[in-house]
Amino acid sequence: VMWPFKKRELDIEFVDSTYKAFMRNPVMRASDVKPRCYAPQKEKFGKVRFPHCPSMIDYARMGYIIPAWADMHILANKAGVSYRLGSKERGSPFAAGRPMDANIIEGVLDPEDDVPLTVIHFGSPWNIFAAKGVSALLMPATYHSDFLDDLIILPGAVDYHKFHTVAMICAPRRACDIHIRAGDPLLHVIPFRT
């Protein structure tokens, strides 16, 4: 019996538009990234308890993790919010962050410590292409990132067969000095069929 050959297309594809992120900090399957609670639980309890809740471990393993493509620095206090990519000395080959109108999240977040509500848009070097009928949730890497106590990353659902860019849109929750290192888990991408 002869079987016809069929072209197999990808449901979702991650493309580094700068050719500078994929070699050092590639997108990873979430199932290959350990949740951040493993080491503290092992130290405190002698074993990791997180996998005992199927809903949490299944969520943590679902989809993909986009790591930080460069060092990100965010400093927030009552005087304002500053941010940069890379180091002061060398900068970064990636697009710098930019402010967004804070009115888009008015009522979503009320920052503590008299920090002004400030929304920052960090454009990613990654583009996502998906087959028709495939969208994705673009979320904070809740179980993988260790800076989310001080920073909210705004989630969203994106129709990636029509729209391809990826951005981290965030706002400081309180006075903080955050250093996200290149390669740290940043965004959690969970594809779904529409």
Side-chain angles (χ1 to χ4, degrees), residues 136-155:
L137 298 173
L138 187 61
M139 314 284 288
T142 303
Y143 292 125
H144 304 90
S145 300
D146 62 1
F147 51 82
L148 295 172
D149 288 344
D150 292 328
L151 188 72
I152 183 173
I153 294 179
L154 298 157

Side-chain angles (χ1 to χ4, degrees), residues 18-39:
T18 64
Y19 300 102
K20 295 176 182 168
F22 76 98
M23 292 297 285
R24 290 190 175 173
N25 301 302
V27 173
M28 301 168 282
R29 291 184 318 183
S31 59
D32 293 337
V33 181
K34 280 187 182 173
R36 67 182 176 125
C37 64
Y38 276 34

Side-chain angles (χ1 to χ4, degrees), residues 3-4 8 18 36 66-67 80 83 86 124-125 137 156 172:
W3 295 97
R8 186 174 179 154
T18 64
R36 67 182 176 125
I66 296 177
Y83 48 89
S124 165
L137 298 173

